[in-house]
Amino acid sequence: MAIGFDYGTANCSVAQFINGQVNPIPLVGEDRYVPSTLCAPNSETVSEYLFRCKEIKPVDTVGEALLRRAIKVNREEGLEVRADDVKFGHEALDLYLDDPKDVYYVKSPKSFLGAMGLRDMQLSFFEDLVCAMMSNIKSRSEQHLGHEVKQAVIGRPVNFLGRGGDKSNIQAEGILRSAANRAGFKDVEFQFEPVAAGLEFEASLKEDKNVLIVDIGGGTTDCSMIQMGPTWASQIDRTSSLLAHSGQMVGGNDLDIYTAFKCFMSEFGMGSKRQSGLDIPLIQFWNPIAISDVQAQRSFYAHDNFSVLRQIHREAKEPEKVNRLLTLHRETLGYSVIREAEKTKIALGEHEQYTANLNLLSEVFEVDVTRERLEAAIEPPTNKIKALVEEAVVQSGIKPDMVFMTGGSARSPILTNAVKSVLGDTPVVRGDFFGSVTSGLARRANLIFK
């Protein structure tokens, strides 16, 4: 039996299409969603965990070298890898928040997969991360269903993050495919996420329509202009119905990053001066919270950068604020700051003001944020989303009959209004923000793996 698998930037979910309806598969208790997070004692644990605890072997010489290195490091550190050393989802986040300094934590590895210029060993490690997460989801699905699952249709964005264009997309999809195969999925197909969301919406249509799907997820925004309705619903080949695609790595994560940068980082010294009158480099405030940028994270948390930060602290006119930046580095708290930015973004979707609580372990302080301030903070990613909507309409050469908005970040009234500002009086329909893509993937899996 095949499943639809939404390996999302923010969450993972799966579903089956049985007896004419989509059946979401609970993964943790009754919860259908597992946050796309992983936590372990160190990064080397992941590769050895796959080999020892999941019996998943590397598929090439690079992977074998990565595994040998991981085993060597863990042996030198006296770490005997066990199955419960690797945590996923909420368990991973809880462990990180409890002890951020002494664990390896990663959120949204899907955001890294299209990055260019990485060494083969780094790419192999990314594959291990994805494989571990997919294996976890597969095992939980099979436990619930009571049988093995070998076939899956997996969602993918129109464009992955990366400066390589098609090369980034090919690299990222290749990592996903290899990881899924290693996790035990024998047959794997991919579907654009906005198209998948459209397939679910299509089931509700009584007549053919030109629909613009706007899928604003955790890491990407994808727009697809699709002809859909009864004429198209049962067709396996939908190529001629797909009129336009646009997509970019801009989504909920970016909104959180900009919220943190514009609303929080002044409390860490951003905008303050050195005694000489020179500004403190903005990059030192951007890099710790740029959780989707591997190089930025590596640059900020590098050992050498701590010496730079100490020098900035000594020269700062407001050393008490810059001291928080030192703590951010020392305790690896970037994800914690982003977590509070996300809570702020969600709260201001319903309220005009919110008081954020930033926990630096040694200090907890509050920051008041208004909706107006949030809108100003997230204006750059909001404008990118509006441009993607316009691009899809221009590509197709037609005005949509309606807009279907989905994806976790589409809940934001700020983004809904931004999309409406591009399309004027076109009706906007809002679907299952988290489940539309998964449901469409399940429908697609049922159609092609009969």
Side-chain angles (χ1 to χ4, degrees):
M1 187 70 72
I3 63 171
F5 189 163
D6 182 10
Y7 179 70
T9 306
N11 295 287
C12 297
S13 60
V14 290
Q16 281 188 320
F17 188 82
I18 303 175
N19 298 325
Q21 66 179 14
V22 174
N23 293 296
I25 299 172
L27 296 172
V28 181
E30 296 301 313
D31 197 345
R32 297 180 291 166
Y33 305 100
V34 172
S36 302
T37 56
L38 178 150
C39 193
N42 59 23
S43 61
E44 287 77 17
T45 300
V46 179
S47 299
E48 189 171 355
Y49 159 83
L50 284 176
F51 178 71
R52 295 198 186 282
C53 305
K54 303 294 288 186
E55 298 183 352
I56 297 174
K57 298 178 180 179
V59 294
D60 55 30
T61 56
V62 177
E64 291 170 354
L66 178 67
L67 175 60
R68 287 195 298 271
R69 178 183 178 278
I71 293 173
K72 180 175 182 293
V73 170
N74 289 331
R75 184 179 295 116
E76 290 173 350
E77 294 183 2
L79 178 62
E80 183 177 346
V81 176
R82 300 171 302 183
D84 62 354
D85 281 335
V86 179
K87 306 290 186 185
F88 304 92
H90 290 297
E91 285 188 342
L93 177 61
D94 290 344
L95 184 59
Y96 163 73
L97 294 176
D98 184 58
D99 190 12
K101 183 180 179 180
D102 294 324
V103 297
Y104 172 77
Y105 176 79
V106 62
K107 176 182 179 182
S108 309
K110 182 179 175 182
S111 301
F112 309 153
L113 304 185
M116 293 282 97
L118 299 177
R119 300 190 304 272
D120 288 345
M121 196 78 83
Q122 291 173 305
L123 295 174
S124 185
F125 175 65
F126 288 166
E127 183 182 306
D128 279 358
L129 280 176
V130 175
C131 182
M133 297 172 73
M134 286 186 167
S135 177
N136 174 60
I137 298 297
K138 184 173 185 290
S139 296
R140 290 178 180 274
S141 301
E142 292 171 342
Q143 183 178 359
H144 174 78
L145 296 171
H147 60 77
E148 189 174 10
V149 178
K150 292 186 176 182
Q151 298 172 314
V153 174
I154 300 174
R156 55 150 289 183
V158 174
N159 289 306
F160 289 87
L161 174 64
R163 299 176 180 175
D166 286 342
K167 289 183 179 179
S168 289
N169 291 330
I170 291 169
Q171 173 181 288
E173 187 175 298
I175 292 172
L176 288 175
R177 185 181 296 278
S178 182
N181 290 153
R182 290 175 64 202
F185 292 107
K186 181 180 178 181
D187 300 312
V188 174
E189 297 292 337
F190 291 95
Q191 180 60 271
F192 287 143
E193 289 158 354
V195 175
L199 295 178
E200 174 61 13
F201 177 60
E202 183 176 55
S204 68
L205 293 177
K206 304 301 182 184
E207 58 181 340
D208 291 349
K209 298 284 186 181
N210 296 319
V211 182
L212 177 64
I213 310 296
V214 180
D215 179 13
I216 310 175
T220 58
T221 293
D222 292 310
C223 302
S224 293
M225 185 75 79
I226 309 175
Q227 292 176 315
M228 55 177 52
T231 300
W232 304 95
S234 61
Q235 296 189 23
I236 293 178
D237 185 359
R238 295 295 298 265
T239 304
S240 61
S241 71
L242 308 181
L243 305 180
H245 291 300
S246 65
Q248 192 175 344
M249 285 294 291
V250 56
N253 284 352
D254 298 272
L255 301 179
D256 300 338
I257 290 167
Y258 274 89
T259 299
F261 186 65
K262 296 287 189 177
C263 300
F264 296 166
M265 297 313 288
S266 61
E267 302 299 325
F268 293 81
M270 189 173 77
S272 63
K273 304 282 187 180
R274 304 186 197 221
Q275 295 293 342
S276 63
L278 294 175
D279 292 330
I280 299 173
L282 287 177
I283 197 70
Q284 294 290 1
F285 303 99
W286 177 262
N287 283 351
I289 56 175
I291 60 171
S292 301
D293 188 331
V294 179
Q295 302 297 346
Q297 292 279 282
R298 182 179 297 148
S299 177
F300 180 78
Y301 289 110
H303 179 74
D304 291 348
N305 193 47
F306 190 69
S307 299
V308 174
L309 294 175
R310 290 178 64 184
Q311 181 66 29
I312 291 173
H313 178 254
R314 285 192 291 269
E315 299 173 357
K317 287 188 175 182
E318 298 182 83
E320 68 284 355
K321 288 186 176 181
V322 177
N323 189 57
R324 291 171 176 162
L325 197 62
L326 287 169
T327 302
L328 195 66
H329 182 290
R330 188 167 49 244
E331 305 294 344
T332 321
L333 291 172
Y335 282 105
S336 181
V337 173
I338 290 297
R339 168 81 168 169
E340 191 59 31
E342 180 183 22
K343 291 168 65 176
T344 301
K345 176 192 68 180
I346 293 171
L348 290 174
E350 299 179 358
H351 306 284
E352 291 296 325
Q353 184 168 330
Y354 177 75
T355 300
N357 287 277
L358 294 174
N359 187 347
L360 299 185
L361 304 182
S362 59
E363 176 193 13
V364 179
F365 61 96
E366 296 181 343
V367 179
D368 291 327
V369 185
T370 63
R371 181 182 292 184
E372 183 180 9
R373 187 179 180 192
L374 174 68
E375 290 179 354
I378 65 174
E379 185 175 2
T382 300
N383 286 339
K384 289 182 180 179
I385 291 170
K386 290 168 64 176
L388 291 172
V389 172
E390 187 171 5
E391 180 185 346
V393 173
V394 171
Q395 274 188 29
S396 69
I398 60 173
K399 182 180 179 180
D401 296 317
M402 61 179 62
V403 179
F404 178 72
M405 289 189 66
T406 187
S409 296
R411 292 175 298 170
S412 168
I414 297 173
L415 295 184
T416 300
N417 291 333
V419 171
K420 288 181 177 179
S421 72
V422 176
L423 297 169
D425 59 355
T426 304
V428 175
V429 179
R430 302 173 74 183
D432 181 349
F433 294 119
F434 291 102
S436 294
V437 171
T438 313
S439 296
L441 293 170
R443 289 178 180 276
R444 182 67 177 171
N446 177 70
L447 195 61
I448 66 176
F449 287 128
K450 283 184 177 180

Short mmCIF file of all heavy atoms in Angstrom, two decimals, residues 344-372:
data_model
loop_
_atom_site.label_atom_id
_atom_site.label_comp_id
_atom_site.label_asym_id
_atom_site.label_seq_id
_atom_site.Cartn_x
_atom_site.Cartn_y
_atom_site.Cartn_z
N THR A 344 5.83 34.74 18.45
CA THR A 344 5.44 36.14 18.29
C THR A 344 4.64 36.34 17.01
O THR A 344 3.60 36.99 17.00
CB THR A 344 6.70 37.04 18.27
OG1 THR A 344 7.42 36.86 19.50
CG2 THR A 344 6.33 38.50 18.10
N LYS A 345 5.12 35.75 15.92
CA LYS A 345 4.44 35.85 14.62
C LYS A 345 3.03 35.28 14.70
O LYS A 345 2.07 35.89 14.20
CB LYS A 345 5.26 35.10 13.57
CG LYS A 345 4.63 35.02 12.20
CD LYS A 345 5.38 34.01 11.33
CE LYS A 345 5.19 32.58 11.83
NZ LYS A 345 5.91 31.60 11.00
N ILE A 346 2.89 34.12 15.32
CA ILE A 346 1.58 33.48 15.43
C ILE A 346 0.63 34.32 16.29
O ILE A 346 -0.53 34.54 15.94
CB ILE A 346 1.73 32.06 16.00
CG1 ILE A 346 2.47 31.16 15.00
CG2 ILE A 346 0.36 31.46 16.33
CD1 ILE A 346 2.85 29.81 15.55
N ALA A 347 1.14 34.81 17.42
CA ALA A 347 0.31 35.59 18.35
C ALA A 347 -0.19 36.87 17.69
O ALA A 347 -1.35 37.27 17.87
CB ALA A 347 1.09 35.91 19.61
N LEU A 348 0.66 37.52 16.91
CA LEU A 348 0.27 38.79 16.29
C LEU A 348 -0.62 38.60 15.07
O LEU A 348 -1.10 39.57 14.49
CB LEU A 348 1.52 39.58 15.91
CG LEU A 348 2.29 40.13 17.13
CD1 LEU A 348 3.60 40.77 16.70
CD2 LEU A 348 1.44 41.14 17.89
N GLY A 349 -0.88 37.35 14.70
CA GLY A 349 -1.89 37.09 13.70
C GLY A 349 -3.29 37.33 14.25
O GLY A 349 -4.23 37.56 13.50
N GLU A 350 -3.43 37.29 15.57
CA GLU A 350 -4.74 37.46 16.22
C GLU A 350 -4.81 38.69 17.11
O GLU A 350 -5.90 39.16 17.42
CB GLU A 350 -5.06 36.22 17.06
CG GLU A 350 -5.13 34.92 16.25
CD GLU A 350 -5.42 33.73 17.12
OE1 GLU A 350 -5.51 33.91 18.36
OE2 GLU A 350 -5.55 32.61 16.58
N HIS A 351 -3.64 39.18 17.56
CA HIS A 351 -3.63 40.29 18.51
C HIS A 351 -2.78 41.44 17.97
O HIS A 351 -1.93 41.25 17.10
CB HIS A 351 -3.08 39.82 19.86
CG HIS A 351 -3.79 38.62 20.42
ND1 HIS A 351 -5.04 38.70 20.99
CD2 HIS A 351 -3.42 37.31 20.47
CE1 HIS A 351 -5.42 37.49 21.39
NE2 HIS A 351 -4.46 36.63 21.08
N GLU A 352 -3.00 42.61 18.51
CA GLU A 352 -2.28 43.80 18.07
C GLU A 352 -0.93 43.94 18.75
O GLU A 352 -0.05 44.66 18.27
CB GLU A 352 -3.12 45.06 18.34
CG GLU A 352 -4.34 45.18 17.46
CD GLU A 352 -3.99 45.32 15.99
OE1 GLU A 352 -2.96 45.96 15.68
OE2 GLU A 352 -4.75 44.80 15.14
N GLN A 353 -0.74 43.27 19.88
CA GLN A 353 0.53 43.39 20.62
C GLN A 353 0.84 42.07 21.31
O GLN A 353 -0.06 41.32 21.70
CB GLN A 353 0.45 44.52 21.66
CG GLN A 353 1.76 44.75 22.40
CD GLN A 353 1.75 46.05 23.20
OE1 GLN A 353 1.09 47.01 22.83
NE2 GLN A 353 2.49 46.07 24.30
N TYR A 354 2.13 41.79 21.45
CA TYR A 354 2.56 40.56 22.11
C TYR A 354 3.86 40.84 22.85
O TYR A 354 4.73 41.58 22.37
CB TYR A 354 2.78 39.45 21.08
CG TYR A 354 3.29 38.16 21.67
CD1 TYR A 354 2.44 37.32 22.38
CD2 TYR A 354 4.62 37.78 21.51
CE1 TYR A 354 2.91 36.12 22.92
CE2 TYR A 354 5.10 36.58 22.03
CZ TYR A 354 4.24 35.76 22.74
OH TYR A 354 4.70 34.58 23.27
N THR A 355 4.00 40.25 24.03
CA THR A 355 5.24 40.37 24.80
C THR A 355 6.03 39.07 24.68
O THR A 355 5.61 38.03 25.17
CB THR A 355 4.95 40.66 26.28
OG1 THR A 355 4.22 41.90 26.38
CG2 THR A 355 6.25 40.77 27.07
N ALA A 356 7.15 39.15 23.97
CA ALA A 356 8.01 37.98 23.79
C ALA A 356 8.91 37.80 25.00
O ALA A 356 9.36 38.78 25.61
CB ALA A 356 8.86 38.16 22.53
N ASN A 357 9.17 36.54 25.34
CA ASN A 357 10.06 36.21 26.45
C ASN A 357 11.29 35.48 25.91
O ASN A 357 11.17 34.37 25.39
CB ASN A 357 9.35 35.31 27.46
CG ASN A 357 8.33 36.07 28.28
OD1 ASN A 357 8.67 36.72 29.26
ND2 ASN A 357 7.06 36.01 27.88
N LEU A 358 12.44 36.13 26.00
CA LEU A 358 13.68 35.55 25.50
C LEU A 358 14.46 34.95 26.67
O LEU A 358 14.85 35.66 27.60
CB LEU A 358 14.50 36.61 24.79
CG LEU A 358 13.86 37.14 23.50
CD1 LEU A 358 14.65 38.28 22.92
CD2 LEU A 358 13.70 36.03 22.48
N ASN A 359 14.67 33.64 26.59
CA ASN A 359 15.33 32.90 27.66
C ASN A 359 16.76 32.58 27.26
O ASN A 359 17.00 31.76 26.37
CB ASN A 359 14.55 31.61 27.95
CG ASN A 359 15.08 30.88 29.17
OD1 ASN A 359 16.15 31.18 29.68
ND2 ASN A 359 14.31 29.93 29.66
N LEU A 360 17.71 33.25 27.92
CA LEU A 360 19.13 33.00 27.67
C LEU A 360 19.75 32.16 28.77
O LEU A 360 20.97 32.19 28.98
CB LEU A 360 19.88 34.33 27.54
CG LEU A 360 19.43 35.26 26.41
CD1 LEU A 360 20.34 36.47 26.33
CD2 LEU A 360 19.39 34.52 25.08
N LEU A 361 18.92 31.42 29.48
CA LEU A 361 19.34 30.54 30.58
C LEU A 361 19.77 31.33 31.80
O LEU A 361 19.20 31.20 32.89
CB LEU A 361 20.45 29.58 30.14
CG LEU A 361 20.13 28.70 28.92
CD1 LEU A 361 21.30 27.77 28.62
CD2 LEU A 361 18.86 27.92 29.12
N SER A 362 20.77 32.19 31.64
CA SER A 362 21.24 33.00 32.77
C SER A 362 20.39 34.25 32.95
O SER A 362 20.51 34.95 33.95
CB SER A 362 22.70 33.41 32.56
OG SER A 362 22.86 34.14 31.36
N GLU A 363 19.53 34.54 31.96
CA GLU A 363 18.71 35.75 31.98
C GLU A 363 17.47 35.54 31.13
O GLU A 363 17.53 34.94 30.06
CB GLU A 363 19.51 36.94 31.42
CG GLU A 363 18.71 38.23 31.30
CD GLU A 363 19.40 39.29 30.46
OE1 GLU A 363 20.38 38.94 29.75
OE2 GLU A 363 18.95 40.44 30.49
N VAL A 364 16.33 36.02 31.62
CA VAL A 364 15.10 36.04 30.83
C VAL A 364 14.64 37.49 30.75
O VAL A 364 14.54 38.17 31.77
CB VAL A 364 14.00 35.17 31.48
CG1 VAL A 364 12.72 35.24 30.65
CG2 VAL A 364 14.46 33.73 31.63
N PHE A 365 14.40 37.97 29.54
CA PHE A 365 13.95 39.35 29.41
C PHE A 365 12.82 39.43 28.39
O PHE A 365 12.62 38.52 27.57
CB PHE A 365 15.10 40.28 29.01
CG PHE A 365 15.76 39.98 27.69
CD1 PHE A 365 15.38 40.64 26.53
CD2 PHE A 365 16.77 39.02 27.61
CE1 PHE A 365 15.98 40.37 25.33
CE2 PHE A 365 17.38 38.74 26.40
CZ PHE A 365 16.98 39.43 25.26
N GLU A 366 12.05 40.50 28.46
CA GLU A 366 10.85 40.67 27.64
C GLU A 366 11.07 41.72 26.55
O GLU A 366 11.82 42.68 26.74
CB GLU A 366 9.66 41.08 28.51
CG GLU A 366 9.26 40.03 29.54
CD GLU A 366 8.06 40.47 30.35
OE1 GLU A 366 7.75 41.68 30.36
OE2 GLU A 366 7.43 39.60 31.00
N VAL A 367 10.39 41.50 25.43
CA VAL A 367 10.40 42.46 24.32
C VAL A 367 8.96 42.62 23.84
O VAL A 367 8.31 41.64 23.46
CB VAL A 367 11.29 41.99 23.15
CG1 VAL A 367 11.25 43.01 22.01
CG2 VAL A 367 12.72 41.75 23.60
N ASP A 368 8.45 43.84 23.86
CA ASP A 368 7.10 44.12 23.37
C ASP A 368 7.14 44.34 21.86
O ASP A 368 7.95 45.13 21.36
CB ASP A 368 6.53 45.36 24.06
CG ASP A 368 6.23 45.12 25.54
OD1 ASP A 368 5.87 43.98 25.88
OD2 ASP A 368 6.38 46.07 26.34
N VAL A 369 6.25 43.65 21.16
CA VAL A 369 6.19 43.75 19.70
C VAL A 369 4.75 44.02 19.28
O VAL A 369 3.83 43.35 19.74
CB VAL A 369 6.68 42.46 19.01
CG1 VAL A 369 6.72 42.65 17.49
CG2 VAL A 369 8.07 42.06 19.54
N THR A 370 4.54 45.01 18.43
CA THR A 370 3.21 45.31 17.90
C THR A 370 3.05 44.67 16.52
O THR A 370 4.05 44.32 15.86
CB THR A 370 3.00 46.82 17.76
OG1 THR A 370 3.95 47.34 16.82
CG2 THR A 370 3.18 47.51 19.11
N ARG A 371 1.81 44.52 16.08
CA ARG A 371 1.57 43.98 14.75
C ARG A 371 2.17 44.89 13.68
O ARG A 371 2.74 44.41 12.69
CB ARG A 371 0.08 43.79 14.48
CG ARG A 371 -0.19 43.19 13.10
CD ARG A 371 -1.66 43.06 12.80
NE ARG A 371 -2.29 42.05 13.64
CZ ARG A 371 -3.57 41.69 13.52
NH1 ARG A 371 -4.33 42.28 12.59
NH2 ARG A 371 -4.09 40.78 14.31
N GLU A 372 2.09 46.19 13.87
CA GLU A 372 2.67 47.14 12.92
C GLU A 372 4.17 46.93 12.79
O GLU A 372 4.73 46.95 11.68
CB GLU A 372 2.37 48.57 13.36
CG GLU A 372 2.88 49.63 12.39
CD GLU A 372 2.56 51.04 12.86
OE1 GLU A 372 2.10 51.21 14.01
OE2 GLU A 372 2.78 51.98 12.07
#
